[in-house]
Amino acid sequence: YQFNQQGKTTKKLTYDKVGQSWVLVKKADYTYLTDGKLDQILTRKTTDNGTTYTNDTHEKLTYDNAHISERLVKQWENNTWKNSTRTINEYDATGNQTFYAYYNSYFEMYNIWIGKDRKYWTYDSTGLLLSHWLDRWLPEALTFTPSRGQEYTYDANNRVTQLKHKGIINLYNQIGDYWTEDYVYNTLGQLFTETITYHTLIFPDNDQFITYTYNQAGLPIQKYIIEKIKDEEDLEVFTYVTAGR
């Protein structure tokens, strides 16, 4: 213990094996549902005497079957609980996540959450990922708007044959293609060629055509990159680059 000049206890100390002192500054209490899932977390801070606690944060979890569908965190301010952060998750019947949203503040005057991130996922009937989108928050509109995403195409063997990168292409928040990646596989199922095509000046990179070669063990040993460049006269010029394993 530590004592003040009057000899009264001011702080409780604990010591480890090497004599260093530790002071309790915060503790968390957990409560659970009848099925064993975590329900709430109450975090409290200690005062200088190490024995009196004041509220700090309160976290409440909501479930959709086996998954956490909402995580609500409140902060103790001016002797009352204030909304702090909120996370929402949604899942399909097979357990794949289809929606995520994170709100990092609460506008109490208008009773509205202020967002930060929002994501969507779509799948086919077999569970293959078809698209993934990220929305961004527009403060002036107090809502989300689509920002960027990817779309996937597969062959009969569930291999990705095309990946489209999409996003905002102008000041009017219109969505268009950024670049496309096309994949071709050999008879052994190994990646044989990859073509990268750019569709917007937002990413002014050069288109590329890539081929892969493998040894008898099936390990990649060489990668050929053919890059298409447009010179000042708009003539197509090809630069060849080879890279070993």
Side-chain angles (χ1 to χ4, degrees):
Y1 294 88
Q2 283 186 350
F3 302 90
N4 59 19
Q5 293 180 350
Q6 287 75 37
K8 294 183 178 180
T9 301
T10 59
K11 187 178 298 184
K12 183 178 180 180
L13 303 177
T14 58
Y15 293 86
D16 60 17
K17 293 181 180 180
V18 295
Q20 294 177 325
S21 62
W22 297 84
V23 179
L24 180 64
V25 296
K26 185 181 293 188
K27 78 170 186 176
D29 295 317
Y30 298 81
T31 58
Y32 296 85
L33 301 173
T34 55
D35 59 1
K37 295 188 183 72
L38 180 62
D39 181 33
Q40 301 181 57
I41 304 174
L42 174 62
T43 304
R44 293 181 292 175
K45 297 182 294 186
T46 66
T47 58
D48 288 338
N49 60 22
T51 57
T52 303
Y53 296 91
T54 59
N55 291 326
D56 185 23
T57 62
H58 178 267
E59 185 173 342
K60 169 66 177 173
L61 305 180
T62 304
Y63 294 86
D64 177 12
N65 296 321
H67 304 283
I68 298 176
S69 59
E70 183 180 24
R71 184 186 300 268
L72 178 62
V73 179
K74 295 187 177 184
Q75 192 80 31
W76 185 255
E77 295 180 9
N78 299 323
N79 293 322
T80 187
W81 290 109
K82 301 284 187 179
N83 287 326
S84 177
T85 64
R86 185 186 185 198
T87 305
I88 299 176
N89 300 284
E90 294 179 4
Y91 301 83
D92 62 19
T94 62
N96 292 317
Q97 186 166 11
T98 59
F99 178 81
Y100 164 88
Y102 176 69
Y103 301 87
N104 59 351
S105 60
Y106 183 74
F107 200 172
E108 191 170 359
M109 179 181 298
Y110 294 99
N111 193 30
I112 186 174
W113 284 96
I114 306 300
K116 183 179 181 182
D117 295 314
R118 188 170 69 177
K119 299 178 182 179
Y120 297 91
W121 295 266
T122 61
Y123 306 85
D124 68 7
S125 58
T126 67
L128 290 175
L129 179 64
L130 294 178
S131 66
H132 174 210
W133 282 91
L134 173 66
D135 293 352
R136 63 188 178 95
W137 181 260
L138 287 181
E140 63 274 16
L142 294 179
T143 188
F144 286 101
T145 186
S147 176
R148 62 184 184 272
Q150 296 86 36
E151 294 179 348
Y152 300 81
T153 304
Y154 301 85
D155 62 14
N157 295 313
N158 294 337
R159 298 173 300 200
V160 177
T161 57
Q162 187 178 79
L163 172 58
K164 283 187 177 181
H165 298 263
K166 307 170 75 73
I168 296 174
I169 58 175
N170 55 36
L171 297 177
Y172 302 100
N173 291 326
Q174 290 180 323
I175 298 296
D177 292 342
Y178 282 166
W179 74 89
T180 304
E181 301 172 21
D182 292 284
Y183 305 97
V184 176
Y185 301 86
N186 61 24
T187 56
L188 298 177
Q190 299 163 328
L191 180 61
F192 180 55
T193 66
E194 176 182 355
T195 305
I196 304 175
T197 307
Y198 293 88
H199 307 286
T200 173
L201 294 178
I202 296 177
F203 297 94
D205 294 342
N206 300 313
D207 294 350
Q208 292 184 345
F209 180 76
I210 305 170
T211 62
Y212 299 86
T213 58
Y214 302 83
N215 61 17
Q216 292 183 349
L219 299 174
I221 58 174
Q222 204 162 47
K223 175 180 179 181
Y224 292 88
I225 302 175
I226 303 174
E227 188 171 287
K228 183 172 68 175
I229 304 173
K230 290 191 174 182
D231 62 15
E232 295 178 355
E233 297 180 357
D234 234 5
L235 297 175
E236 290 186 350
V237 180
F238 293 88
T239 302
Y240 296 84
V241 180
T242 60
R245 179 167 173 254

